[in-house]
Structure formats: C-alpha cells, structure tokens
Amino acid sequence: MKLSTRIRDFWNEFKHRKIGMLGLGILVIIVSISVLAPVIAPMDPTRWSDVNYWTNNPKGVPPTWAYYIQGKVPIPQLYLENYKTKLTKISGYPMIQAFLPINYTYTEFPTMVKWRINLTFVGAGAFYEIYLMRPDKKKVTLYTGTATTSNASQGWTIIEIDATRHPDVERRINEWLSSMGLDINRIQPAAPIQIAFADLKLLKKNKLVPLKGEYVFTVRAIAQGKNINVTQFRVILGATAYGLLGTDKSGRDLFKGLVWGTPIALLIGVLTSVLGVAIGLLYGVTSGYIGGWSDEAMMRVVDILMSLPKLPILIVLAIAYRPTIWLIILFLTIFGWMGIARVSRSIALQLKESAFVEAARAIGASRKRIILVHIIPNIVPYTVAALALGIPDAILTEAALSFLGLGDPSLPTWGAILNQAQTGGALGSGMWWWFIPPGLAIAVVSMAFVFIGYAVDEIVNPRLRRR
Amino acid sequence: MASGLGRYLALRAVNSIIVIVAVVLLTLIMFGPLVDQQLKAQIEMEVRQQILKGGAFGKYKTPEEAKRAMQKAIEERIKALGLDKPWYIRIWGDLWRTLTFDLGTSWVIKSDSGSSKVVNILLERIPRTVLLFGTSTIILLVLQLLLGAKAAATPGSLFDRIVVLSGLLGYAFATWWVGMVLLYLFAYLIPIFPAGGMVSVPPPQDPLHYALDVAWHMFLPVLTILIVALGGWAYVTRNLMIGILTEDYITTSRAKGVPERKVIYYHALKMAAPPILTQVTLAIASIFTGGLLTEIVFSWPGMGLLYWDAILSLDIPVIMGDVYFTTILIVLANLTADLLYGIVDPRIRLGTGGATL
C-alpha cells in the first residue's frame, strides 16, 4: 500500500475519535501559543532570572481580573515624573526643593514605593532629605543622606531606592510613629512604607486604612558649594494587581513565564521522545533481527537500564553538571528508549520470519537493507503512540527536576516557576496565581499528547479497542 | 518445581545487584572530585589549626619553615587516607564502603538526634518514607483491583468511561503539583488538615493519639498519590480483565451458572493477577519518585524532603546516601513484586518458560 493512502486511511479513522481530536485541538492551540510567544508576551526569555529586568514591577500581586471578579478596582501602577523645583538659599548655601504631588484616592495601599533621584551639584558635597508631605500636613521623613565628590567643580549622585522594605526607611518611619506615641509592632503592616500613607485616627484604633488626599514626595538638598539641581525625580507606586496572571515575589510577570514555558516544554518533550523512539527502534530491531547470543545480551542491558531509578540518577547528573536545556534533553533521552526497544524487538522477531522478508533475503538483499527498508517502516506505525506518550513523560520528568531547582536556571520553565513558588512560600501567602497556572499548563500539554497517543494506540493496536 | 521459580528469582536478584552497583558507581564518579576537594580543604584546615593551637608554631625559625612543615603534615594526612592515589583506584574502596553502609559524615545536615553520620540521618528517614509509600501502595492496590474489575464488568458504561478518562488524566498531572493544590485548598483556604510535617508540635504522648496524629498528617499526601495514580492502575486492570472476560473458560463458567460476581472477582481476577503484577512492577518506581516529590510539598520528613534539604545546602554525602537507599528501596519493592509474580504465574512456578521477562 502506498504511504499516502495509508496516512489518509489513518486520518479517516483518527478523526472519528473524539478524545484524539480533542488532544489534537489542544495541541494546535499550544503550538500556536509557542509560535506567537514573542507577540503575545514580548520578552527576552533568557532574562527571566535577571532580577533587574523586573525591578519596576509590583511584587507578588494578583491578576487584574481577580480584582474585578470581587467587584473591586485595583490601584494601577503609578509613575510620577512631573516634578517642580524651587531653588533658594539657606545660610548662604544653595538649597533645592523638588516636589512630586500625587492625589491619592484609593482604598488600598501601594504595594511598592520606589524612587530614583539624580542630584547634581557644584561644590564639595551635598546633604539631602527625602520626605512625604501628607494631606493632614504631617511630614514623614523617609530617607536622608550625603553625597561627596572628589571633583570640586561638578558632583552628582543617583539615589535609587526601593523603599518598600528598606531598613533605613523602616527606621525613619518607626521614629515618626513613636514620635506620635504609636508602636509599629502592634500594627504589623505588610510593608513598613504603608504606614506613611495610613490614616492616623484609624491607626490609633489599630486599623490600617490609607488616608485620601494630596501627598507630595519632596526632595530637599543643600550643597556645600555654589549650585545644586535635581535633574531627575521619579517615584513609582506599585499596583495592587498586574496583568493576566499577576507577578511573583520578584515582580516577574507570570503570564510571560507561562507563555514562554510552552515552547520550552514542547521542545523538551518532543525532542526527547523523538530521540528516544529513534534509538529504541534501531536498537530493538537490530537486537531482534540479529537474534541469538547478542540479542540476549542486548536485552539484558535494556532490562538493567529499565530498572535504574530515574529521578535519583537525574538528580546526581544535574548536580554534577548544572546542565543547560540541551544536556537535560540528552539525560532524559537516556531513560526514554528502552520501552520502544522491547516492542520493536518483538515485532522484528515476527517480521523476520514473514514471507516478504524471506523473499528479500532470497533475492540477496543485505541485512542493513532489510532492516531499513523492510522491517523499520512496518514498525513505525506502532511507535507513533509511544512517541506521543513519551512526550508527557519527558515534560513531567523535566518539571520534577526543575521543581527541585536543578533545571536550566536561565529559562522560564514551568517546573522552575513552581520551584520558586515553593521556596517563596506561595501557598502560605495565598498566591494561587503563582502555582496554579504552571501546574495546569504542564497538565494540559501532557493531556494533549496522552489523548492523541491513546487514540492512535486504539487504531494501530485494535486489540486494545473497547469491546 | 522450585527450580523454575528459583532460576527466575536468581535472575532478578542478579539484575538488582547490578543495578545497585551501577548506581553507586555512577554517583561516585560524578561526585568523587567534589568530595575529594572538600576532604582536602578539611584536612588543610585541621592541620593548620593543630599547628596554630598546639603552640608548635614557635618551634619554627622562619615562616617558610613553618609553611613547609604544614605542607608536609597535610601531605602525610592525604597519603594516610589514600587521597593521593588516582580516582579509578580509590573508587573500588569507596564502592565497597558504600555497599557496606559506611556512608561517611554529612557536610551540613544533621539527624534529629544530632548525628552527622549519613547512615543515621537516613535510618531516621527511611521508616517515614516507607510508611507513607507503603500505605499509599496498599490502598492503591486494593482500590484499583475493585475499580478496574467493576469497570471491566460493564465496558462502555459511564463508570467505565470515568475510569478510562481518569486513567489518561493520571498520566498528565504532576503528583507533587496536585499535592500543592490540595495543601492550599485543605490546609490554608479551608484549614481542616495540617500544613505539613508528620506529627503535631509537641507530639501527643500516648501511642494511640500519636498514631492518629500521624494518620491525620498523612491523609493529604496519601490522597495526593491516590488521586494521580489510582486511575492509571485501575485502567490497566480494566484492560487486562476485559481481555480475560472474553476467554472461553469464562463463558463456560457463566454457562455453568456461576454467579457473575464470582466470575469477575474470583475467576477472572485470579487470571489477571500475574500481568497486573507486571504492571505494578513497572509503575512502582514512578509512584515512588512521585511520592518523594510529594514529601517535599507536605514537608513530610522522609527521604524525599531529605533530597530537597540536601540539594539546597549542596550536602553531597547526604545526596549520595539518599540515592543509594532510594535505589535499594526501589529494587526491594520490585523484587517483592517479582516474587509475588513468580508465585502467582504457574508458567514460572513450573519452570516452563516466561522467565525471560
């Protein structure tokens, strides 16, 4: 029978199988996501573990839609940049003040407060103070510092601080609190910076609610010299929700991680399975066709390899080599070909005695030709199901390895995200958006191939059909 | 009669020994250089401390002389331990030591009783893993036989289709992730189960309450393993049973008027037992590794959590010991299944083939 008709016959049978078509449908979606990843979630995937890349994102916030479902509106990410300056003199020294106002009308606290200030001055040094003027006209000093320069004509400094949990900022806020007879240990905010936005009347009743009104972030700096200026003043207030799948505790966009995890999982699964099937097929056929003593020995090797404990050995290899994704695929392949080898061998044993192989041998075909032309093409249909089922196996094993923190550290694999969720205490802090989607993604991709494999198996091995 | 079973078991035992030796050799080759480095650094530190502390430093006239003496002492120690010989010679000694359970001392991790001996750390952990894994496996075996047989009795029914579907889904889910979800749901969102560990702190005093407390902690991890593995196992049993139920002798029993219940749960199940055991043998390792990772999620202080701790602190001797004992446990579990298989399958018992499994 011609190959094209065989494939057409196969497809005609396959398309009547609901579960197989469901698997195929999921697969089409997954492949589309993989191909479109740069469009859906623009990112350089190798910068996934680069913390600086994510530094301006809010940390550990839920997806936006989760807010709307509860009928709440999240605070957006606020970038404050339009500052005004005022240059004056204080006891003969130049003093600059920069103001960054924000009308805060939200019912929740910002999840992050970050600022970046660029201070230039002429002189030996400068002293600066960053404070917040509150709507109730109270001043909260957040940070102070000095800048010096060896170059007396021109000095500059960049003050870039994540104030959310900064120890200096926390100390300043504590000082401010105790100056009003309050104690931070009794209040226990999620982040110390939130106190600076709190309604004091309610705070005295131990209620942590933001005070609405106009706040002004202010920089005040005095130069020990002739001139001073603020050339950049930017404050970021962190949103309480982010994107489609929220962020993890380092501010990584989990939607991007999920999308980019798809092509990686497919690559690992498909390549491992294809390599494993190819090796197993060749090995099994050779062993079965040659037969005799070497067949016995080759199958002994398969027996032993099959009883090796997979995960412990992978752990050992991963610790010893700190592998890249390619090496991981190679390691997974080592454990992925023995099943096929057994099946191929038993089919080869049957085919060896069949009439058409006898005929080929009679007209003087070489052993290599018989194996490659007459035997292997007849086994291939039986390996299709194994190929499909080998893919989820490889994906799940790689995920397990990454979950142990032993995957390729540079890439956003789903297992690695789950590892970070486990070490970052996602369960305890209720961050379901961190650990539910990656595990579901693993399951959905695996499911697609399991369904396809099951349907193919039913067609190729009619014995297994439901009676 | 015994010769068939004996030959078969001997073959399996030889296979098991090869597996254990191969795994140990692999870990030794992989970790040998790392362990050597650590040992040499330790020797150097000890010698330096000895010389400084013992006041022997003043003995030497020049710093160079002191340095030379120190170097000599270090070399002597290295020679005494045999560390100067190449790895491919030393590895056989290491292999023997490992096989005889001399696993050395850990770098970081200590046992609950405070011991740094890797063997002691593992001896504390093994029973806990065996408890979790053994309980799950026994429940799994019983339930899958019942569910699989019931599905096979009515192929195509709703119940049967649920078994098939859950069998397929079982292949797709990561056990440890299902554990994370269950833990989140039933320990954090609706806190009816403990958030991890094996016993409450402080543990209950009388044995009955202690056992109940452990069972309470064990509930979610066991449930996790069951949810993921049960469908697949029941599916295998179902397929084998469907094949057997079409055999002539089953039709004969039915025709003789044997009750359907007895036909399925006695006659057919008995025939299906050997192939089911084969499948169990194949599945046991994967259930076991799934269980190890589940331990991590539930902070169950067994061998799986030990991997996690040892990887985090890069405690190589502990990882080596853990790998060794994991291999032994998997091999033993497989041997038990092989033994049962040999007893159940008459072809092997009578030595009429089938031994080349």
Side-chain angles (χ1 to χ4, degrees):
Chain A
M1 218 190 321
K2 265 171 66 186
L3 188 63
S4 61
T5 39
R6 272 165 75 168
I7 291 175
R8 200 183 313 129
D9 287 353
F10 178 81
W11 170 244
N12 280 335
E13 266 209 69
F14 187 86
K15 70 182 175 192
H16 293 300
R17 277 157 216 279
K18 272 187 221 149
I19 206 157
M21 289 307 280
L22 177 64
L24 199 62
I26 302 173
L27 181 62
V28 169
I29 297 171
I30 296 162
V31 171
S32 317
I33 292 175
S34 303
V35 173
L36 295 175
V39 184
I40 309 171
M43 164 178 101
D44 176 1
T46 56
R47 298 198 66 180
W48 178 254
S49 40
D50 179 358
V51 182
N52 292 328
Y53 189 74
W54 307 99
T55 182
N56 286 341
N57 276 0
K59 316 277 186 279
V61 298
T64 317
W65 53 265
Y67 255 81
Y68 288 113
I69 282 181
Q70 297 172 6
K72 291 195 290 185
V73 180
I75 307 177
Q77 182 95 344
L78 298 168
Y79 295 92
L80 317 176
E81 275 176 318
N82 297 320
Y83 63 99
K84 290 196 180 73
T85 55
K86 195 169 113 191
L87 190 64
T88 49
K89 278 209 176 222
I90 184 160
S91 23
Y93 291 116
M95 177 175 87
I96 184 104
Q97 279 173 293
F99 308 98
L100 204 49
I102 164 75
N103 190 13
Y104 202 84
T105 56
Y106 307 102
T107 50
E108 280 181 285
F109 291 102
T111 56
M112 176 178 76
V113 175
K114 273 186 78 165
W115 59 69
R116 184 188 162 94
I117 298 158
N118 196 345
L119 200 63
T120 56
F121 53 91
V122 179
F127 162 82
Y128 58 82
E129 178 190 20
I130 297 152
Y131 60 88
L132 185 65
M133 282 307 289
R134 292 160 43 100
D136 55 9
K137 301 296 166 214
K138 291 208 160 44
K139 175 187 159 188
V140 192
T141 303
L142 299 174
Y143 196 78
T144 58
T146 52
T148 52
T149 177
S150 50
N151 179 0
S153 63
Q154 187 71 34
W156 59 274
T157 183
I158 289 174
I159 310 146
E160 184 162 22
I161 280 170
D162 184 345
T164 324
R165 284 179 188 81
H166 197 284
D168 291 354
V169 177
E170 186 175 349
R171 190 170 48 84
R172 290 282 176 190
I173 288 173
N174 278 344
E175 283 170 15
W176 178 69
L177 261 188
S178 40
S179 76
M180 281 173 307
L182 287 162
D183 180 14
I184 193 159
N185 293 321
R186 242 178 49 207
I187 298 151
Q188 296 202 332
I193 195 77
Q194 295 183 342
I195 302 284
F197 291 86
D199 187 326
L200 286 175
K201 275 187 210 127
L202 292 170
L203 201 60
K204 280 176 184 148
K205 295 178 199 156
N206 286 338
K207 272 192 211 141
L208 200 57
V209 177
L211 179 68
K212 293 180 187 179
E214 196 184 57
Y215 290 81
V216 184
F217 281 94
T218 315
V219 183
R220 195 168 62 120
I222 302 163
Q224 209 179 9
K226 275 185 233 140
N227 201 3
I228 187 157
N229 197 11
V230 172
T231 54
Q232 188 192 26
F233 185 17
R234 191 181 70 185
V235 171
I236 301 173
L237 297 183
T240 50
Y242 186 95
L244 280 169
L245 285 179
T247 60
D248 69 6
K249 281 192 174 163
S250 328
R252 282 183 277 224
D253 182 347
L254 288 166
F255 176 72
K256 285 187 176 166
L258 194 79
V259 169
W260 280 97
T262 317
I264 299 169
L266 277 185
L267 177 75
I268 292 167
V270 173
L271 203 55
T272 304
S273 195
V274 167
L275 281 174
V277 166
I279 295 171
L281 189 62
L282 278 176
Y283 189 95
V285 169
T286 312
S287 173
Y289 191 80
I290 295 173
W293 182 84
S294 59
D295 177 39
E296 178 77 13
M298 280 171 93
M299 281 301 116
R300 248 331 124 240
V301 172
V302 167
D303 275 1
I304 288 164
L305 279 176
M306 264 186 132
S307 20
L308 286 181
K310 184 155 106 177
L311 191 70
I313 291 182
L314 285 173
I315 289 174
V316 170
L317 290 174
I319 293 174
Y321 289 102
R322 289 284 147 183
T324 61
I325 184 171
W326 306 110
L327 211 51
I328 288 175
I329 289 173
L330 186 74
F331 291 158
L332 291 175
T333 309
I334 299 174
F335 291 98
W337 58 271
M338 288 85 77
I340 299 281
R342 273 192 180 170
V343 175
S344 312
R345 170 182 172 267
S346 63
I347 302 174
L349 280 178
Q350 289 168 21
L351 290 176
K352 195 165 104 177
E353 311 301 334
S354 66
F356 70 95
V357 172
E358 289 281 352
R361 215 176 292 144
I363 58 170
S366 70
R367 181 188 272 182
K368 197 173 138 198
R369 187 178 158 79
I370 290 173
I371 289 181
L372 288 177
V373 178
H374 296 289
I375 293 185
I376 286 185
N378 282 297
I379 299 180
V380 164
Y382 296 93
T383 62
V384 175
L387 183 75
L389 292 173
I391 293 172
D393 199 39
I395 291 176
L396 285 169
T397 311
E398 191 281 332
L401 212 52
S402 288
F403 177 65
L404 288 169
L406 297 172
D408 188 331
S410 63
L411 294 172
T413 60
W414 294 328
I417 296 176
L418 287 167
N419 168 269
Q420 287 141 9
Q422 175 75 13
T423 48
L427 268 67
S429 38
M431 294 165 72
W432 51 267
W433 59 89
W434 196 356
F435 67 89
I436 300 269
L440 265 186
I442 294 173
V444 169
V445 171
S446 304
M447 229 183 280
F449 291 105
V450 170
F451 288 169
I452 293 171
Y454 173 76
V456 172
D457 212 19
E458 268 198 332
I459 297 169
V460 180
N461 299 327
R463 225 158 28 87
L464 296 176
R465 259 179 235 179
R466 197 177 294 143
R467 281 167 236 225
Chain B
M1 178 176 155
S3 72
L5 184 59
R7 193 184 108 81
Y8 164 76
L9 284 179
L11 250 163
R12 305 307 300 169
V14 168
N15 200 353
S16 309
I17 290 166
I18 295 176
V19 165
I20 292 175
V21 172
V23 171
V24 173
L25 268 180
L26 184 80
T27 50
L28 285 173
I29 293 169
M30 289 294 140
F31 290 149
L34 266 170
V35 174
D36 283 2
Q37 240 174 24
Q38 175 79 10
L39 259 178
K40 278 180 186 159
Q42 205 183 326
I43 288 171
E44 213 175 295
M45 211 177 73
E46 275 173 23
V47 167
R48 193 160 291 170
Q49 258 172 6
Q50 242 172 18
I51 288 180
L52 288 178
K53 241 193 204 156
F57 200 66
K59 231 166 49 184
Y60 306 108
K61 287 190 191 88
T62 59
E64 279 75 35
E65 200 181 327
K67 218 177 211 170
R68 243 178 289 136
M70 208 185 293
Q71 203 59 42
K72 217 179 131 205
I74 289 169
E75 267 162 29
E76 269 166 17
R77 289 280 294 277
I78 285 179
K79 214 166 219 164
L81 286 169
L83 278 175
D84 56 330
K85 295 200 187 83
W87 66 271
Y88 50 85
I89 291 176
R90 275 185 301 125
I91 202 165
W92 305 109
D94 291 341
L95 176 66
W96 179 248
R97 268 191 292 282
T98 309
L99 290 177
T100 52
F101 303 105
D102 176 5
L103 302 175
T105 48
S106 69
W107 293 352
V108 185
I109 294 169
K110 283 199 163 70
S111 76
D112 291 349
S113 57
S115 165
S116 292
K117 281 221 167 314
V118 174
V119 176
N120 292 346
I121 296 172
L122 275 152
L123 285 180
E124 245 171 29
R125 304 273 183 150
I126 292 166
R128 299 167 184 165
T129 294
V130 170
L131 176 66
L132 181 62
F133 177 65
T135 311
S136 316
T137 312
I138 290 166
I139 299 176
L140 204 52
L141 264 173
V142 174
L143 283 183
Q144 64 105 1
L145 283 177
L146 294 178
L147 294 183
K150 188 169 190 300
T154 54
S157 67
L158 180 69
F159 181 80
D160 179 45
R161 273 189 278 175
I162 291 173
V163 166
V164 172
L165 190 67
S166 60
L168 294 185
L169 289 181
Y171 288 118
F173 281 86
T175 314
W176 43 276
W177 177 75
V178 173
M180 284 175 109
V181 176
L182 285 185
L183 187 65
Y184 174 66
L185 289 179
F186 300 114
Y188 290 106
L189 219 56
I190 314 163
I192 46 176
F193 285 105
M198 192 176 76
V199 281
S200 304
V201 182
Q205 285 306 313
D206 67 304
L208 180 68
H209 278 108
Y210 189 88
L212 284 175
D213 192 47
V214 171
W216 183 49
H217 280 77
M218 204 159 69
F219 187 87
L220 280 184
V222 169
L223 184 67
T224 304
I225 297 173
L226 286 186
I227 285 179
V228 177
L230 184 56
W233 285 33
Y235 175 55
V236 167
T237 300
R238 168 207 175 265
N239 285 352
L240 294 166
M241 287 284 286
I242 283 181
I244 286 165
L245 283 174
T246 55
E247 300 279 349
D248 291 343
Y249 58 85
I250 296 287
T251 320
T252 314
S253 330
R254 278 181 178 148
K256 276 198 313 194
V258 177
E260 185 67 15
R261 184 178 281 267
K262 202 178 170 191
V263 169
I264 291 170
Y265 291 102
Y266 183 72
H267 292 282
L269 211 51
K270 204 172 94 182
M271 286 314 291
I276 288 173
L277 273 171
T278 314
Q279 298 292 334
V280 168
T281 316
L282 291 176
I284 233 163
S286 83
I287 305 284
F288 189 70
T289 45
L292 289 180
L293 292 159
T294 309
E295 278 187 8
I296 296 169
V297 173
F298 290 99
S299 329
W300 183 268
M303 295 161 79
L305 192 64
L306 188 61
Y307 273 113
W308 179 261
D309 293 340
I311 288 169
L312 282 182
S313 54
L314 215 68
D315 198 328
I316 300 292
V318 172
I319 293 174
M320 291 171 80
D322 212 354
V323 168
Y324 180 45
F325 274 101
T326 310
T327 312
I328 291 178
L329 279 191
I330 291 179
V331 160
L332 281 182
N334 281 336
L335 269 180
T336 314
D338 285 338
L339 178 69
L340 290 175
Y341 181 81
I343 292 170
V344 172
D345 191 341
R347 284 174 306 170
I348 289 176
R349 204 172 54 219
L350 301 173
T352 52
T356 48
L357 180 75

